[in-house]
Amino acid sequence: MPDERPLPADDHALFGFDDENAWLRRFRAAAMSENQPAGRIGPYEILGEIDRGGQGVVYRARRRGIARDVAVKRLRAGAFATDDARRRFEREIDIASTLAHPHIVRLFTIDEIDDQTVIAMEWIDGVPITDWARDRTVDEVLDAFRRVADAVHHAHLRGVIHRDLKPSNILVDGDGPHVLDFGLAKLVDGARDDDTLTEAFVGTPAWAAPEQIAGPAASVDARADIHALGLLLHHMLTGAAPYATDGTLAAAIDAVRTVTPGRPSASNPAVARDLDAIVGRCLAKAPADRYQSVAALVDDLDRLADGRPVLARPPSPAYLLRTLMRRHRIAAGAVVAFVLLAVVFASVLAIFIERTIDSQRVTAQVNRFMHESFAVAGPSREGGGDTTVLRMLDAAARRADAELADEPRVAAEVYFTIGSTYRRLWLYREAIPHLERAAALTRAVSGDDERLARILVVLGTALANSSRPDAVDVHREALAIRLAHLDADDPRVAEAKMRLGYALYHVARPRQFDEAERHLLDALATYRRASPGPHRDLASCLHNLGYMRLCQRRGADAETLYRAALDMLADLDLRDDPFYAECLHGYTGLLMGLGRHEDALVALDEAIPIVRDVYGDGWVATLHRRAAAAHDALGHFPEAVIAHRLAFLTTCAMLAVEHPDDDRTLDRLRRLVAESPPARPFPAHDALPLLRALADAPRTSLVQVLRRDASTRTRMGDEPAADALRRVIDALRET
Amino acid sequence: MPTDASTHPSLLRRVRDAHDHAAWRAFDRRYGPLILAFGRRIGLQVADAEDVRQAVMMNLARTLPGFRYDPAHGRFRTYLGRAVVHAVAELRRRHGRLRTLDVDHAAPETLDASWQDEWVRHHCRAALHTLRDEADPVHLAMFDAMLNGRSTATIAAMFEVSPAVVRKTRQRLRDRLRAIIARQIRAEETGDA
């Protein structure tokens, strides 16, 4: 029976129940108090409390003068925090400063407010990834999951293990998933990890790996995150948590230790058996039985996407045959026939399968090579990774020199592939000799045909991008060949005209805008006739015209054309296309040139992750410099300071590609500065010797970044930081 | 904002065990917002109010094991209120000053009155949450109109009912809220039940 004793008399009056209207006034005041502003912390207006964990309190907040909301975190115990809690918070800040990835929540500023450290992070207005995954296709789920895996891999490469990956820590908004809360993360290099060694368990039991529950924290490594990724993927595919999350702690712990989650395909028939195997491999109880790195997990997802055998499954002959049949439908009939014959010729089958396995391995190696060459440095790569790809390309060229002398057609194709790859990496000077050799070999073997025209178009583009006027002659030759062999309305003629147009206004001296405009408009008309709807070539032509208008100093016209090209590519779902990245890169420069800093920042927010995905860390240096300049112009000084620091780090990565002799020094410098958050003083003492050791050109580039940083610090009134930077600059000037 | 108005009667008993972390979390969830709201009410900045909340929890962890509820020696709300006012004073000593002006000059009786007001508001908020979970949507809409200061006649016109129905609804809601508050306070005061 519920206890329904009445309210004591004194409380009766206190709540106004002794008066006809007083009680209503009390409740009105209570209801209104729920919507009152929560107050301020330093410069932040607190909009509401979001999370109160064991260590910190997170608020949604807004900073004066900055339109977007931020997540502000301070130590829960504030002035009463123990040294241990402060050290953990410091470590969390260090870790957050180390990570810069489009799918990891960004750290904006570190403030000292009344002796308390307060950090402001990116505010993600999203939903937990498992909620987002409901009613999504398996492909959509895998796409989002891969982004999360990339983010986790990025952290692992920097020695950071998350240890608490779960749906509430991975929110999805319009920009995709964002991994949050590295509050429990652990650094792999032991020096800064002492405070986690004593713990028996950190994390959330239902999302923990068995070893997180069983052993000391010190025994937990990156494979615990792989287990959590497996749980996450399982949940995303099936719509339910693999282990119950609503029972007692003991039940959750027991389940993690002993229960093997069912195959995702049992709940979702759209899940392939291979995907079951991948999830199962992640969820192995023993770390040694799981994927040993996130890269290996992603590699297996690639195999799944390509229809190749996944490594999560043992390569039984029957399995290999099934995979082959799926991949090569025509050949599959032959395989089936072969299998039937094999009942008689068992030994022949054995040889066949052996060859198949060998062929799979070779194909995998080639694919890996192609993937790394073309997709280039993804977000998970270190800046120095670009150098490795370049070395691989150089090695391939040397092998072609040595081994393909008697095969000029094959050699021409190899040189063309290598040259095109360099061009796509914006390494035009490296591309040109390979493309010239490809052109010379093709001219000798095939004469003036489409094969030659194709090579000349790429060569001409590389020459034009290197500001070489001879690009005009190469493009004229390509256009002449195509006009001689093809119909005037053929899109390939339009391509040649478009490229020639670019060379005419970009590298010809004097610039020949009139002829260029004629060719570009011709090309545009041809593309429109060929296919009335939006398509990539049309977007390319619009972009080209836009760039010409920019060169003609007709900024407004240029902006319209750039925007049209970008919208068209987005409509075509080509945001992953390197051309979209190139277009966006130019667009941000255009907006900066027009003084539209707010718009430029929006475009830069989109451009930076895309350009980094396509071209690697080094290529976003210019974008970070633009972001810093835009923030500085708008008076967003804390953001400008962060952008300057990112510009410094990415410039190091870019210079390492351009100056291979200095790449080790640059890498050391990058690591050193990456460990010093922007809010802390520039690590002048350690950085100076490294900067001094650099050749003149890379040192000058970095000094320019530091000089701009110093200027922002002065404008924001942080003279000590500005002075520290100026001392470095002055010391280098003496060098 | 606490929404779990039905205080588990043994919560006070459980938090006497400093190692019962789940009980402490529940206790902090229930009373933390009240302490924060009090801090904000007397003009503390968010950071100071948070520090007071933390200080109160730390002090209670020390003193609650010896606390025995005895109506003759005051009620739990008074006990908690003293702990909060004490924490404000302690923080003032610790910092030399607080980052707010009003509190430095506030007389103890002012703080006590503010605490009582905030405690009433805290229970009203919790009762409103319970009511919103259980009441008929039309009655809730009428209640919102009452809270917004609409007259009985206006509400009757809005909902196309007679003024007598509005008055009756108002009376029922009042009785219901009074019952919810009575239950909340009993749960709070019978921590050792």
Side-chain angles (χ1 to χ4, degrees):
Chain A
M1 275 294 288
D3 182 357
E4 293 298 344
R5 277 175 292 163
L7 202 57
D10 53 344
D11 286 342
H12 198 262
L14 203 52
F15 283 88
F17 289 122
D18 58 343
D19 181 280
E20 182 62 24
N21 293 314
W23 70 276
L24 204 53
R25 283 200 297 275
R26 301 272 197 284
F27 281 96
R28 183 181 301 144
M32 285 173 67
S33 72
E34 289 189 294
N35 300 320
Q36 277 176 355
R40 308 188 70 83
I41 293 182
Y44 299 102
E45 181 194 344
I46 304 300
L47 304 177
E49 183 179 313
I50 304 305
D51 187 40
R52 183 172 287 268
Q55 176 187 300
V57 190
V58 183
Y59 308 95
R60 183 175 185 168
R62 193 167 291 161
R63 189 173 177 132
R64 223 188 333 257
I66 297 177
R68 63 168 174 250
D69 292 351
V70 291
V72 166
K73 183 170 186 177
R74 80 187 279 274
L75 271 179
R76 179 180 166 151
F80 300 95
T82 60
D83 289 345
D84 184 52
R86 284 178 203 279
R87 201 167 63 241
R88 279 165 176 275
F89 195 39
E90 288 278 314
R91 196 196 50 177
E92 183 185 345
I93 294 169
D94 281 350
I95 286 171
S97 317
T98 311
L99 304 174
H101 186 275
H103 297 296
I104 294 178
V105 69
R106 285 181 296 169
L107 173 69
F108 287 143
T109 53
I110 306 163
D111 294 300
E112 287 293 324
I113 299 173
D114 294 323
D115 302 327
Q116 298 296 314
T117 303
V118 173
I119 59 174
M121 296 169 290
E122 187 177 14
W123 168 257
I124 306 296
D125 203 359
V127 295
I129 194 163
T130 43
D131 291 356
W132 172 88
R134 280 187 203 127
D135 305 322
R136 304 275 167 174
T137 64
V138 171
D139 283 347
E140 287 172 320
V141 163
L142 287 179
D143 180 59
F145 177 78
R146 285 192 52 140
R147 290 165 196 254
V148 174
D150 259 347
V152 175
H153 187 48
H154 173 89
H156 286 181
L157 284 178
R158 282 148 187 82
V160 177
I161 307 164
H162 190 289
R163 294 201 296 180
D164 199 21
L165 289 168
K166 56 184 175 180
S168 59
N169 277 340
I170 303 164
L171 299 184
V172 184
D173 66 5
D175 296 328
H178 302 266
V179 180
L180 277 63
D181 199 0
F182 278 82
L184 294 179
K186 170 183 153 169
L187 284 162
V188 177
D189 60 354
R192 281 178 287 169
D193 192 36
D194 301 343
D195 47 346
T196 63
L197 294 178
T198 53
E199 283 179 296
F201 171 70
V202 288
T204 309
W207 293 91
E211 68 271 22
Q212 271 176 288
I213 285 170
S219 68
V220 171
D221 60 24
R223 293 171 296 184
D225 280 352
I226 289 169
H227 187 272
L229 285 171
L231 291 174
L232 193 71
L233 183 54
H234 194 291
H235 193 157
M236 290 169 75
L237 291 169
T238 62
Y243 304 124
T245 51
D246 52 357
T248 64
L249 189 66
I253 289 174
D254 190 50
V256 171
R257 277 185 182 147
T258 59
V259 175
T260 300
R263 287 182 290 109
S265 63
S267 313
N268 179 356
V271 173
R273 294 290 295 276
D274 282 359
L275 188 48
D276 278 342
I278 289 174
V279 174
R281 180 86 177 263
C282 293
L283 294 179
K285 298 293 180 199
D289 294 338
R290 290 176 212 144
Y291 293 106
Q292 298 300 295
S293 71
V294 179
L297 162 62
V298 170
D299 185 52
D300 235 8
L301 289 170
D302 281 344
R303 291 167 169 277
L304 178 75
D306 298 345
R308 289 178 288 143
V310 300
L311 299 178
R313 291 170 71 106
S316 75
Y319 167 64
L320 274 180
L321 287 174
R322 268 204 310 279
T323 310
L324 278 171
M325 285 166 68
R326 273 205 303 274
R327 260 190 102 189
H328 307 291
R329 289 181 185 280
I330 300 167
V335 173
V336 172
F338 207 97
V339 172
L340 293 173
L341 282 172
V343 175
V344 183
F345 301 107
S347 59
V348 178
L349 177 67
I351 292 166
F352 174 82
I353 288 171
E354 196 170 298
R355 282 185 185 159
T356 305
I357 293 170
D358 191 49
S359 152
Q360 287 286 328
R361 193 166 57 238
V362 172
T363 306
Q365 284 168 345
V366 171
N367 278 351
R368 194 189 308 273
F369 177 85
M370 297 300 272
H371 173 78
E372 289 186 6
S373 303
F374 287 98
V376 199
S380 57
R381 275 181 176 274
E382 302 284 326
D386 291 347
T387 316
T388 312
V389 174
L390 302 189
R391 284 182 184 141
M392 286 169 65
L393 284 172
D394 285 342
R398 281 197 300 275
R399 211 169 62 228
D401 289 346
E403 297 172 15
L404 296 173
D406 299 334
E407 299 266 8
R409 278 175 201 273
V410 179
E413 199 59 33
V414 169
Y415 291 131
F416 178 59
T417 304
I418 294 168
S420 303
T421 308
Y422 273 123
R423 191 187 72 80
R424 290 169 66 136
L425 286 164
W426 301 351
L427 295 168
Y428 306 116
R429 252 167 272 162
E430 287 77 2
I432 290 166
H434 297 292
L435 293 168
E436 284 176 337
R437 294 179 75 181
L441 282 169
T442 306
R443 202 190 301 274
V445 175
S446 317
D448 296 348
D449 65 3
E450 174 52 26
R451 261 173 292 194
L452 177 60
R454 182 178 62 132
I455 295 167
L456 290 175
V457 165
V458 178
L459 171 60
T461 307
L463 290 168
N465 286 326
S466 305
S467 303
R468 278 176 52 174
D470 49 346
V472 173
D473 293 336
V474 172
H475 279 308
R476 282 197 197 284
E477 186 186 357
L479 178 59
I481 293 172
R482 284 190 168 167
L483 281 171
H485 293 93
L486 302 169
D487 188 85
D489 258 357
D490 191 295
R492 284 170 289 181
V493 173
E495 184 198 19
K497 285 183 175 175
M498 186 175 72
R499 301 290 177 193
L500 173 57
Y502 173 74
L504 285 166
Y505 73 75
H506 187 60
V507 293
R509 290 295 178 270
R511 293 174 191 258
Q512 295 173 33
F513 287 118
D514 289 344
E515 191 190 345
E517 180 157 348
R518 203 169 62 241
H519 288 306
L520 288 173
L521 292 177
D522 264 5
L524 199 63
T526 304
Y527 282 136
R528 286 204 164 119
R529 272 196 301 276
S531 169
H535 56 101
R536 190 183 183 283
D537 292 333
L538 193 55
S540 174
C541 209
L542 288 168
H543 168 249
N544 213 326
L545 258 176
Y547 187 52
M548 187 174 84
R549 295 289 181 243
L550 187 63
C551 294
Q552 291 173 300
R553 302 188 187 283
R554 290 166 58 180
D557 293 345
E559 204 254 332
T560 308
L561 289 158
Y562 265 89
R563 198 61 262 171
L566 284 165
D567 289 347
M568 191 175 284
L569 291 170
D571 286 347
L572 291 164
D573 208 14
L574 288 174
R575 282 199 171 88
D576 293 339
D577 191 308
F579 175 52
Y580 186 79
E582 188 182 333
C583 228
L584 206 49
H585 196 282
Y587 185 57
T588 61
L590 167 64
L591 291 172
M592 290 296 289
L594 291 172
R596 287 170 48 188
H597 299 120
E598 297 269 13
D599 294 334
L601 283 174
V602 172
L604 284 162
D605 264 354
E606 183 185 5
I608 288 171
I610 291 177
V611 172
R612 182 170 39 216
D613 274 0
V614 175
Y615 295 105
D617 277 356
W619 301 102
V620 290
T622 309
L623 299 179
H624 283 304
R625 283 202 291 273
R626 283 177 189 160
H631 281 305
D632 186 273
L634 291 166
H636 301 167
F637 298 124
E639 284 83 353
V641 163
I642 290 174
H644 282 310
R645 186 58 58 88
L646 291 170
F648 187 92
L649 299 174
T650 47
T651 301
C652 285
M654 182 185 73
L655 293 169
V657 178
E658 290 177 355
H659 301 275
D661 292 345
D662 279 331
D663 66 349
R664 288 190 179 176
T665 310
L666 286 162
D667 191 45
R668 277 203 289 276
L669 190 59
R670 194 171 56 80
R671 286 172 187 277
L672 173 72
V673 175
E675 284 172 8
S676 165
R680 305 227 172 118
F682 185 78
H685 181 266
D686 296 322
L688 252 179
L690 293 171
L691 282 161
R692 281 196 173 114
L694 293 172
D696 284 349
R699 193 173 58 233
T700 306
S701 299
L702 291 172
V703 165
Q704 279 170 0
V705 179
L706 296 179
R707 188 169 285 132
R708 291 189 201 103
D709 193 353
S711 160
T712 298
R713 309 265 186 176
T714 301
R715 274 161 54 72
M716 70 192 287
D718 189 354
E719 272 308 323
D723 278 348
L725 285 164
R726 277 195 217 99
R727 276 198 297 278
V728 174
I729 295 165
D730 291 345
L732 289 171
R733 192 181 289 143
E734 288 162 16
T735 308
Chain B
M1 186 62 225
T3 55
D4 46 350
S6 55
T7 307
H8 195 285
S10 67
L11 186 57
L12 267 184
R13 189 175 53 208
R14 284 180 58 202
V15 292
R16 284 178 198 157
D17 174 2
H19 300 292
D20 190 342
H21 298 298
W24 271 105
R25 274 198 298 276
F27 189 82
D28 183 51
R29 258 202 313 278
R30 186 159 311 145
Y31 295 108
L34 166 60
I35 299 168
L36 275 187
F38 169 73
R40 297 285 305 133
R41 186 189 184 94
I42 61 170
L44 295 185
Q45 291 189 5
V46 178
D48 282 331
E50 285 281 1
D51 282 354
V52 167
R53 174 182 180 154
Q54 183 68 17
V56 169
M57 293 301 158
M58 286 161 60
N59 290 340
L60 289 182
R62 275 201 308 273
T63 55
L64 266 182
F67 175 75
R68 288 288 177 274
Y69 173 60
D70 178 357
H73 290 95
R75 308 169 84 170
F76 178 72
R77 78 186 77 153
T78 315
Y79 176 80
L80 184 60
R82 280 186 198 136
V84 174
V85 171
H86 174 74
V88 172
E90 187 181 60
L91 199 69
R92 185 163 48 192
R93 272 200 307 280
R94 194 177 175 124
H95 284 176
R97 63 172 184 82
L98 280 170
R99 292 177 277 267
T100 172
L101 297 174
D102 301 348
V103 186
D104 282 344
H105 305 292
E109 59 272 24
T110 313
L111 290 182
D112 286 343
S114 294
W115 170 256
Q116 181 165 282
D117 282 354
E118 199 52 53
W119 177 83
V120 166
R121 199 170 278 184
H122 164 78
H123 276 286
C124 287
R125 281 191 295 257
L128 282 173
H129 277 268
T130 306
L131 185 75
R132 292 192 200 289
D133 284 343
E134 64 178 35
D136 173 88
V138 176
H139 290 167
L140 279 179
M142 284 175 134
F143 186 56
D144 282 337
M146 291 170 202
L147 288 180
N148 287 332
R150 307 263 187 220
S151 69
T152 301
T154 307
I155 297 171
M158 282 168 68
F159 289 87
E160 297 177 342
V161 294
S162 70
V165 169
V166 177
R167 279 192 290 274
K168 185 103 179 151
T169 304
R170 178 181 158 123
Q171 199 169 353
R172 278 189 185 156
L173 288 169
R174 187 182 96 141
D175 293 347
R176 184 64 202 130
L177 284 167
R178 188 168 50 193
I180 295 170
I181 297 260
R183 195 177 65 206
Q184 287 175 188
I185 292 175
R186 269 199 309 280
E188 181 178 288
E189 299 292 350
T190 55
D192 206 27

